[in-house]
Amino acid sequence: MIKPLSLLNQSITHNVMVELKGGRGYRGVLDGFDPHMNLVLKNAEELLNNESQRKVDLAIVRGDNVIYVSP
Amino acid sequence: MIKPLSLLNQSITHNVMVELKGGRGYRGVLDGFDPHMNLVLKNAEELLNNESQRKVDLAIVRGDNVIYVSP
Amino acid sequence: MIKPLSLLNQSITHNVMVELKGGRGYRGVLDGFDPHMNLVLKNAEELLNNESQRKVDLAIVRGDNVIYVSP
Amino acid sequence: MIKPLSLLNQSITHNVMVELKGGRGYRGVLDGFDPHMNLVLKNAEELLNNESQRKVDLAIVRGDNVIYVSP
Amino acid sequence: MIKPLSLLNQSITHNVMVELKGGRGYRGVLDGFDPHMNLVLKNAEELLNNESQRKVDLAIVRGDNVIYVSP
Amino acid sequence: MIKPLSLLNQSITHNVMVELKGGRGYRGVLDGFDPHMNLVLKNAEELLNNESQRKVDLAIVRGDNVIYVSP
Amino acid sequence: MIKPLSLLNQSITHNVMVELKGGRGYRGVLDGFDPHMNLVLKNAEELLNNESQRKVDLAIVRGDNVIYVSP
């Protein structure tokens, strides 16, 4: 058994897939988070309906948009 | 009588069906949770409108998307 | 006069009808709840727009989806 | 001047009209409430877009669905 | 400078216009409120998209529906 | 660096543009606020999709509708 | 590893891209924030569906609208 935030913590510096409400997603390196699931992503590719939109060096994602994070 | 979070706790390591808002679902092994119903799922199949989309080794699902968890 | 959560407590082991946002409903035995109105239902029939969808042995329903519970 | 929850308290055992989000309403006897405006209604008629749908002996309505209660 | 809740307090016994989410409005006498902006309105006219719908003697409006109150 | 609420405080008695969810806006004098970003506006013009709708002497806007305030 | 709010703090006085719910965005200098992710932006260009709408000298954005901030 592992707590959701502990798994996030183990995923730091690893590639994750993040799916947000509204068809948006990110694929990038998890560089940080907090208990609200606000996330810091590095070298991230932004996806809309699974199609690549752009690359961002850094993004702070507000947690209430997150559906899931897949390490 | 059983509290919802106690039943979640009893479901750890078991297969569960999770239904999310927006027609999305997961079938997989419950590996963790917290009081917000954030969930950790292992070996999960992602479903959209009951059709299989992909397999994910691990997923952290944010609790506010959950409609129900069926152990 | 009766508090909503006291009435839920009196309904434990009884059949209830639960209506959720988005046209979804459950008819089953109330087996547990907590102050957020997270619910545990047993031997429940899932309904979508009043049509039966499937039977589930157990379901943990997240409270923020609940419109009403009718004992 | 009267606090909203005090007026709810004075309305216990009286007929009220409750309007919910999504076009749903109830006309029935207010039998209980709590500070979240979760309500207990007795001998209630459920309405959808002002048309009667069914009678329920008892209903626990979750407060976040409430638009207004008219005593 | 005046705090929003202080202005509500000064508006007690006065006519106010209340606009709610979803095109609904009320014109009536403000008879009470609490810090969530739950409101008590007296002799209120209910409006839908600016058209009069009915008169209610008393209404308890749940604050999370409020867009604005105009004294 | 300036905190959002400090900037609101500096904007008291000044003209502000307020944009709300749902295409609604206000142009008027900021006369008050609280930590939820509930706002008091004076001599305000209400806009819907950038078109003027009416003038209001005073409006208490509930903060959860606010997208941004531009001093 | 860096906490989301620490990264926001490091981004003060730098250009950021802010994406909001509903297709709205801002490109400007981050001049402040608070723990709710309420933001102060300076010399900001407002975008709607990636098209420039107008320039604003200052804007206080309410945090609950934020999808992400990219420094």
Side-chain angles (χ1 to χ4, degrees), chain F residues 15-42:
Chain F
N15 262 294
V16 295
M17 174 70 210
V18 179
E19 189 122 351
L20 303 185
K21 293 165 189 168
R24 197 185 297 259
Y26 286 97
R27 210 188 302 271
V29 176
L30 183 66
D31 201 34
F33 70 95
D34 64 23
H36 305 291
M37 274 202 205
N38 296 325
L39 305 173
V40 179
L41 296 170
K42 243 181 9 191

PDB file of all heavy atoms in Angstrom, chain F residues 15-42:
ATOM      1  N   ASN F  15     -10.881  53.436 -10.544  1.00  0.00           N
ATOM      2  CA  ASN F  15     -11.623  52.679 -11.542  1.00  0.00           C
ATOM      3  C   ASN F  15     -10.957  51.337 -11.793  1.00  0.00           C
ATOM      4  O   ASN F  15      -9.738  51.270 -11.918  1.00  0.00           O
ATOM      5  CB  ASN F  15     -11.658  53.467 -12.860  1.00  0.00           C
ATOM      6  CG  ASN F  15     -12.960  54.223 -13.018  1.00  0.00           C
ATOM      7  OD1 ASN F  15     -14.013  53.599 -13.145  1.00  0.00           O
ATOM      8  ND2 ASN F  15     -12.895  55.546 -12.958  1.00  0.00           N
ATOM      9  N   VAL F  16     -11.777  50.298 -11.864  1.00  0.00           N
ATOM     10  CA  VAL F  16     -11.256  48.971 -12.206  1.00  0.00           C
ATOM     11  C   VAL F  16     -12.149  48.340 -13.269  1.00  0.00           C
ATOM     12  O   VAL F  16     -13.311  48.715 -13.429  1.00  0.00           O
ATOM     13  CB  VAL F  16     -11.208  48.022 -10.980  1.00  0.00           C
ATOM     14  CG1 VAL F  16     -10.218  48.513  -9.929  1.00  0.00           C
ATOM     15  CG2 VAL F  16     -12.586  47.825 -10.372  1.00  0.00           C
ATOM     16  N   MET F  17     -11.571  47.415 -13.992  1.00  0.00           N
ATOM     17  CA  MET F  17     -12.338  46.563 -14.896  1.00  0.00           C
ATOM     18  C   MET F  17     -12.366  45.184 -14.243  1.00  0.00           C
ATOM     19  O   MET F  17     -11.322  44.651 -13.877  1.00  0.00           O
ATOM     20  CB  MET F  17     -11.628  46.532 -16.262  1.00  0.00           C
ATOM     21  CG  MET F  17     -12.227  45.581 -17.274  1.00  0.00           C
ATOM     22  SD  MET F  17     -13.847  46.126 -17.885  1.00  0.00           S
ATOM     23  CE  MET F  17     -14.615  44.520 -18.232  1.00  0.00           C
ATOM     24  N   VAL F  18     -13.561  44.613 -14.099  1.00  0.00           N
ATOM     25  CA  VAL F  18     -13.710  43.296 -13.481  1.00  0.00           C
ATOM     26  C   VAL F  18     -14.311  42.355 -14.513  1.00  0.00           C
ATOM     27  O   VAL F  18     -15.357  42.664 -15.088  1.00  0.00           O
ATOM     28  CB  VAL F  18     -14.636  43.368 -12.243  1.00  0.00           C
ATOM     29  CG1 VAL F  18     -14.809  41.992 -11.614  1.00  0.00           C
ATOM     30  CG2 VAL F  18     -14.094  44.353 -11.226  1.00  0.00           C
ATOM     31  N   GLU F  19     -13.671  41.252 -14.750  1.00  0.00           N
ATOM     32  CA  GLU F  19     -14.234  40.280 -15.692  1.00  0.00           C
ATOM     33  C   GLU F  19     -14.696  39.059 -14.902  1.00  0.00           C
ATOM     34  O   GLU F  19     -13.968  38.503 -14.090  1.00  0.00           O
ATOM     35  CB  GLU F  19     -13.188  39.879 -16.734  1.00  0.00           C
ATOM     36  CG  GLU F  19     -13.783  39.049 -17.831  1.00  0.00           C
ATOM     37  CD  GLU F  19     -13.601  39.640 -19.214  1.00  0.00           C
ATOM     38  OE1 GLU F  19     -13.150  40.804 -19.332  1.00  0.00           O
ATOM     39  OE2 GLU F  19     -13.900  38.943 -20.191  1.00  0.00           O
ATOM     40  N   LEU F  20     -15.952  38.660 -15.165  1.00  0.00           N
ATOM     41  CA  LEU F  20     -16.536  37.522 -14.459  1.00  0.00           C
ATOM     42  C   LEU F  20     -16.692  36.343 -15.415  1.00  0.00           C
ATOM     43  O   LEU F  20     -16.695  36.503 -16.635  1.00  0.00           O
ATOM     44  CB  LEU F  20     -17.912  37.900 -13.894  1.00  0.00           C
ATOM     45  CG  LEU F  20     -17.987  39.101 -12.958  1.00  0.00           C
ATOM     46  CD1 LEU F  20     -19.403  39.232 -12.403  1.00  0.00           C
ATOM     47  CD2 LEU F  20     -16.993  38.980 -11.820  1.00  0.00           C
ATOM     48  N   LYS F  21     -16.855  35.154 -14.843  1.00  0.00           N
ATOM     49  CA  LYS F  21     -17.186  33.978 -15.639  1.00  0.00           C
ATOM     50  C   LYS F  21     -18.514  34.202 -16.367  1.00  0.00           C
ATOM     51  O   LYS F  21     -19.366  34.942 -15.873  1.00  0.00           O
ATOM     52  CB  LYS F  21     -17.279  32.747 -14.727  1.00  0.00           C
ATOM     53  CG  LYS F  21     -15.907  32.382 -14.144  1.00  0.00           C
ATOM     54  CD  LYS F  21     -15.994  31.409 -12.975  1.00  0.00           C
ATOM     55  CE  LYS F  21     -14.612  31.271 -12.326  1.00  0.00           C
ATOM     56  NZ  LYS F  21     -14.646  30.598 -11.042  1.00  0.00           N
ATOM     57  N   GLY F  22     -18.667  33.601 -17.522  1.00  0.00           N
ATOM     58  CA  GLY F  22     -19.930  33.698 -18.244  1.00  0.00           C
ATOM     59  C   GLY F  22     -20.070  34.943 -19.086  1.00  0.00           C
ATOM     60  O   GLY F  22     -21.189  35.334 -19.437  1.00  0.00           O
ATOM     61  N   GLY F  23     -18.964  35.612 -19.399  1.00  0.00           N
ATOM     62  CA  GLY F  23     -19.023  36.734 -20.327  1.00  0.00           C
ATOM     63  C   GLY F  23     -19.464  38.050 -19.719  1.00  0.00           C
ATOM     64  O   GLY F  23     -19.673  39.034 -20.427  1.00  0.00           O
ATOM     65  N   ARG F  24     -19.617  38.101 -18.416  1.00  0.00           N
ATOM     66  CA  ARG F  24     -20.095  39.309 -17.763  1.00  0.00           C
ATOM     67  C   ARG F  24     -18.910  40.146 -17.271  1.00  0.00           C
ATOM     68  O   ARG F  24     -17.870  39.610 -16.891  1.00  0.00           O
ATOM     69  CB  ARG F  24     -20.947  38.911 -16.566  1.00  0.00           C
ATOM     70  CG  ARG F  24     -21.841  39.996 -16.030  1.00  0.00           C
ATOM     71  CD  ARG F  24     -22.536  39.520 -14.788  1.00  0.00           C
ATOM     72  NE  ARG F  24     -23.414  38.399 -15.040  1.00  0.00           N
ATOM     73  CZ  ARG F  24     -24.736  38.525 -15.154  1.00  0.00           C
ATOM     74  NH1 ARG F  24     -25.303  39.706 -15.027  1.00  0.00           N
ATOM     75  NH2 ARG F  24     -25.468  37.454 -15.379  1.00  0.00           N
ATOM     76  N   GLY F  25     -19.055  41.455 -17.277  1.00  0.00           N
ATOM     77  CA  GLY F  25     -17.999  42.319 -16.768  1.00  0.00           C
ATOM     78  C   GLY F  25     -18.558  43.554 -16.099  1.00  0.00           C
ATOM     79  O   GLY F  25     -19.749  43.868 -16.231  1.00  0.00           O
ATOM     80  N   TYR F  26     -17.724  44.238 -15.341  1.00  0.00           N
ATOM     81  CA  TYR F  26     -18.087  45.503 -14.705  1.00  0.00           C
ATOM     82  C   TYR F  26     -16.948  46.489 -14.854  1.00  0.00           C
ATOM     83  O   TYR F  26     -15.775  46.123 -14.709  1.00  0.00           O
ATOM     84  CB  TYR F  26     -18.353  45.319 -13.202  1.00  0.00           C
ATOM     85  CG  TYR F  26     -19.646  44.650 -12.918  1.00  0.00           C
ATOM     86  CD1 TYR F  26     -19.710  43.294 -12.677  1.00  0.00           C
ATOM     87  CD2 TYR F  26     -20.826  45.391 -12.921  1.00  0.00           C
ATOM     88  CE1 TYR F  26     -20.920  42.673 -12.441  1.00  0.00           C
ATOM     89  CE2 TYR F  26     -22.037  44.769 -12.679  1.00  0.00           C
ATOM     90  CZ  TYR F  26     -22.079  43.414 -12.438  1.00  0.00           C
ATOM     91  OH  TYR F  26     -23.275  42.805 -12.213  1.00  0.00           O
ATOM     92  N   ARG F  27     -17.296  47.720 -15.120  1.00  0.00           N
ATOM     93  CA  ARG F  27     -16.352  48.819 -15.094  1.00  0.00           C
ATOM     94  C   ARG F  27     -16.884  49.778 -14.046  1.00  0.00           C
ATOM     95  O   ARG F  27     -18.023  50.243 -14.148  1.00  0.00           O
ATOM     96  CB  ARG F  27     -16.338  49.500 -16.464  1.00  0.00           C
ATOM     97  CG  ARG F  27     -15.019  50.129 -16.854  1.00  0.00           C
ATOM     98  CD  ARG F  27     -15.195  50.924 -18.133  1.00  0.00           C
ATOM     99  NE  ARG F  27     -15.698  50.137 -19.263  1.00  0.00           N
ATOM    100  CZ  ARG F  27     -14.905  49.473 -20.117  1.00  0.00           C
ATOM    101  NH1 ARG F  27     -13.599  49.505 -19.968  1.00  0.00           N
ATOM    102  NH2 ARG F  27     -15.425  48.790 -21.124  1.00  0.00           N
ATOM    103  N   GLY F  28     -16.106  50.038 -12.999  1.00  0.00           N
ATOM    104  CA  GLY F  28     -16.592  50.943 -11.962  1.00  0.00           C
ATOM    105  C   GLY F  28     -15.513  51.217 -10.939  1.00  0.00           C
ATOM    106  O   GLY F  28     -14.360  50.823 -11.108  1.00  0.00           O
ATOM    107  N   VAL F  29     -15.917  51.916  -9.878  1.00  0.00           N
ATOM    108  CA  VAL F  29     -14.976  52.300  -8.824  1.00  0.00           C
ATOM    109  C   VAL F  29     -14.960  51.208  -7.758  1.00  0.00           C
ATOM    110  O   VAL F  29     -16.005  50.811  -7.254  1.00  0.00           O
ATOM    111  CB  VAL F  29     -15.401  53.651  -8.198  1.00  0.00           C
ATOM    112  CG1 VAL F  29     -14.482  54.010  -7.031  1.00  0.00           C
ATOM    113  CG2 VAL F  29     -15.394  54.751  -9.249  1.00  0.00           C
ATOM    114  N   LEU F  30     -13.766  50.727  -7.431  1.00  0.00           N
ATOM    115  CA  LEU F  30     -13.650  49.694  -6.400  1.00  0.00           C
ATOM    116  C   LEU F  30     -13.811  50.346  -5.026  1.00  0.00           C
ATOM    117  O   LEU F  30     -13.045  51.228  -4.650  1.00  0.00           O
ATOM    118  CB  LEU F  30     -12.288  48.992  -6.495  1.00  0.00           C
ATOM    119  CG  LEU F  30     -12.104  47.833  -5.505  1.00  0.00           C
ATOM    120  CD1 LEU F  30     -13.045  46.695  -5.830  1.00  0.00           C
ATOM    121  CD2 LEU F  30     -10.662  47.331  -5.511  1.00  0.00           C
ATOM    122  N   ASP F  31     -14.818  49.906  -4.304  1.00  0.00           N
ATOM    123  CA  ASP F  31     -15.106  50.547  -3.019  1.00  0.00           C
ATOM    124  C   ASP F  31     -14.843  49.608  -1.842  1.00  0.00           C
ATOM    125  O   ASP F  31     -14.923  50.017  -0.689  1.00  0.00           O
ATOM    126  CB  ASP F  31     -16.569  51.005  -3.014  1.00  0.00           C
ATOM    127  CG  ASP F  31     -16.812  52.093  -1.995  1.00  0.00           C
ATOM    128  OD1 ASP F  31     -15.902  52.916  -1.782  1.00  0.00           O
ATOM    129  OD2 ASP F  31     -17.907  52.118  -1.388  1.00  0.00           O
ATOM    130  N   GLY F  32     -14.533  48.338  -2.128  1.00  0.00           N
ATOM    131  CA  GLY F  32     -14.258  47.419  -1.027  1.00  0.00           C
ATOM    132  C   GLY F  32     -13.992  46.027  -1.534  1.00  0.00           C
ATOM    133  O   GLY F  32     -14.302  45.694  -2.687  1.00  0.00           O
ATOM    134  N   PHE F  33     -13.430  45.195  -0.673  1.00  0.00           N
ATOM    135  CA  PHE F  33     -13.172  43.794  -1.005  1.00  0.00           C
ATOM    136  C   PHE F  33     -12.911  43.045   0.290  1.00  0.00           C
ATOM    137  O   PHE F  33     -12.752  43.643   1.352  1.00  0.00           O
ATOM    138  CB  PHE F  33     -11.970  43.663  -1.957  1.00  0.00           C
ATOM    139  CG  PHE F  33     -10.660  43.980  -1.301  1.00  0.00           C
ATOM    140  CD1 PHE F  33      -9.871  42.967  -0.765  1.00  0.00           C
ATOM    141  CD2 PHE F  33     -10.219  45.293  -1.192  1.00  0.00           C
ATOM    142  CE1 PHE F  33      -8.668  43.255  -0.143  1.00  0.00           C
ATOM    143  CE2 PHE F  33      -9.019  45.595  -0.570  1.00  0.00           C
ATOM    144  CZ  PHE F  33      -8.251  44.577  -0.039  1.00  0.00           C
ATOM    145  N   ASP F  34     -12.875  41.713   0.201  1.00  0.00           N
ATOM    146  CA  ASP F  34     -12.458  40.899   1.341  1.00  0.00           C
ATOM    147  C   ASP F  34     -11.559  39.779   0.810  1.00  0.00           C
ATOM    148  O   ASP F  34     -11.328  39.692  -0.403  1.00  0.00           O
ATOM    149  CB  ASP F  34     -13.677  40.395   2.137  1.00  0.00           C
ATOM    150  CG  ASP F  34     -14.570  39.457   1.342  1.00  0.00           C
ATOM    151  OD1 ASP F  34     -14.105  38.829   0.368  1.00  0.00           O
ATOM    152  OD2 ASP F  34     -15.757  39.337   1.689  1.00  0.00           O
ATOM    153  N   PRO F  35     -11.025  38.935   1.672  1.00  0.00           N
ATOM    154  CA  PRO F  35     -10.043  37.946   1.213  1.00  0.00           C
ATOM    155  C   PRO F  35     -10.575  36.924   0.210  1.00  0.00           C
ATOM    156  O   PRO F  35      -9.787  36.295  -0.493  1.00  0.00           O
ATOM    157  CB  PRO F  35      -9.604  37.243   2.511  1.00  0.00           C
ATOM    158  CG  PRO F  35      -9.887  38.213   3.592  1.00  0.00           C
ATOM    159  CD  PRO F  35     -11.108  38.955   3.165  1.00  0.00           C
ATOM    160  N   HIS F  36     -11.922  36.741   0.118  1.00  0.00           N
ATOM    161  CA  HIS F  36     -12.479  35.850  -0.904  1.00  0.00           C
ATOM    162  C   HIS F  36     -12.547  36.523  -2.274  1.00  0.00           C
ATOM    163  O   HIS F  36     -13.020  35.933  -3.226  1.00  0.00           O
ATOM    164  CB  HIS F  36     -13.900  35.421  -0.528  1.00  0.00           C
ATOM    165  CG  HIS F  36     -14.002  34.783   0.816  1.00  0.00           C
ATOM    166  ND1 HIS F  36     -13.475  33.550   1.085  1.00  0.00           N
ATOM    167  CD2 HIS F  36     -14.555  35.226   1.980  1.00  0.00           C
ATOM    168  CE1 HIS F  36     -13.699  33.247   2.359  1.00  0.00           C
ATOM    169  NE2 HIS F  36     -14.344  34.256   2.920  1.00  0.00           N
ATOM    170  N   MET F  37     -12.127  37.782  -2.339  1.00  0.00           N
ATOM    171  CA  MET F  37     -12.269  38.624  -3.537  1.00  0.00           C
ATOM    172  C   MET F  37     -13.720  38.974  -3.794  1.00  0.00           C
ATOM    173  O   MET F  37     -14.062  39.332  -4.940  1.00  0.00           O
ATOM    174  CB  MET F  37     -11.638  37.981  -4.787  1.00  0.00           C
ATOM    175  CG  MET F  37     -10.163  38.299  -4.900  1.00  0.00           C
ATOM    176  SD  MET F  37      -9.600  38.113  -6.612  1.00  0.00           S
ATOM    177  CE  MET F  37      -7.870  37.796  -6.266  1.00  0.00           C
ATOM    178  N   ASN F  38     -14.584  38.864  -2.774  1.00  0.00           N
ATOM    179  CA  ASN F  38     -15.860  39.553  -2.875  1.00  0.00           C
ATOM    180  C   ASN F  38     -15.544  41.036  -3.040  1.00  0.00           C
ATOM    181  O   ASN F  38     -14.634  41.558  -2.387  1.00  0.00           O
ATOM    182  CB  ASN F  38     -16.704  39.352  -1.604  1.00  0.00           C
ATOM    183  CG  ASN F  38     -17.094  37.892  -1.376  1.00  0.00           C
ATOM    184  OD1 ASN F  38     -17.338  37.153  -2.327  1.00  0.00           O
ATOM    185  ND2 ASN F  38     -17.140  37.480  -0.113  1.00  0.00           N
ATOM    186  N   LEU F  39     -16.272  41.706  -3.937  1.00  0.00           N
ATOM    187  CA  LEU F  39     -15.935  43.092  -4.279  1.00  0.00           C
ATOM    188  C   LEU F  39     -17.133  43.999  -4.079  1.00  0.00           C
ATOM    189  O   LEU F  39     -18.275  43.580  -4.289  1.00  0.00           O
ATOM    190  CB  LEU F  39     -15.529  43.183  -5.757  1.00  0.00           C
ATOM    191  CG  LEU F  39     -14.405  42.277  -6.261  1.00  0.00           C
ATOM    192  CD1 LEU F  39     -14.273  42.400  -7.777  1.00  0.00           C
ATOM    193  CD2 LEU F  39     -13.079  42.614  -5.589  1.00  0.00           C
ATOM    194  N   VAL F  40     -16.891  45.239  -3.707  1.00  0.00           N
ATOM    195  CA  VAL F  40     -17.919  46.281  -3.766  1.00  0.00           C
ATOM    196  C   VAL F  40     -17.535  47.244  -4.877  1.00  0.00           C
ATOM    197  O   VAL F  40     -16.421  47.786  -4.880  1.00  0.00           O
ATOM    198  CB  VAL F  40     -18.032  47.047  -2.432  1.00  0.00           C
ATOM    199  CG1 VAL F  40     -19.095  48.138  -2.546  1.00  0.00           C
ATOM    200  CG2 VAL F  40     -18.358  46.105  -1.282  1.00  0.00           C
ATOM    201  N   LEU F  41     -18.442  47.433  -5.829  1.00  0.00           N
ATOM    202  CA  LEU F  41     -18.212  48.357  -6.944  1.00  0.00           C
ATOM    203  C   LEU F  41     -19.223  49.492  -6.889  1.00  0.00           C
ATOM    204  O   LEU F  41     -20.394  49.269  -6.576  1.00  0.00           O
ATOM    205  CB  LEU F  41     -18.341  47.613  -8.275  1.00  0.00           C
ATOM    206  CG  LEU F  41     -17.297  46.515  -8.500  1.00  0.00           C
ATOM    207  CD1 LEU F  41     -17.652  45.677  -9.719  1.00  0.00           C
ATOM    208  CD2 LEU F  41     -15.904  47.117  -8.657  1.00  0.00           C
ATOM    209  N   LYS F  42     -18.789  50.679  -7.201  1.00  0.00           N
ATOM    210  CA  LYS F  42     -19.642  51.877  -7.167  1.00  0.00           C
ATOM    211  C   LYS F  42     -19.736  52.458  -8.568  1.00  0.00           C
ATOM    212  O   LYS F  42     -18.760  52.411  -9.313  1.00  0.00           O
ATOM    213  CB  LYS F  42     -19.012  52.929  -6.240  1.00  0.00           C
ATOM    214  CG  LYS F  42     -19.858  53.270  -5.051  1.00  0.00           C
ATOM    215  CD  LYS F  42     -19.331  54.312  -4.096  1.00  0.00           C
ATOM    216  CE  LYS F  42     -18.116  55.109  -4.462  1.00  0.00           C
ATOM    217  NZ  LYS F  42     -17.627  55.876  -3.290  1.00  0.00           N
TER     218      LYS F  42
END
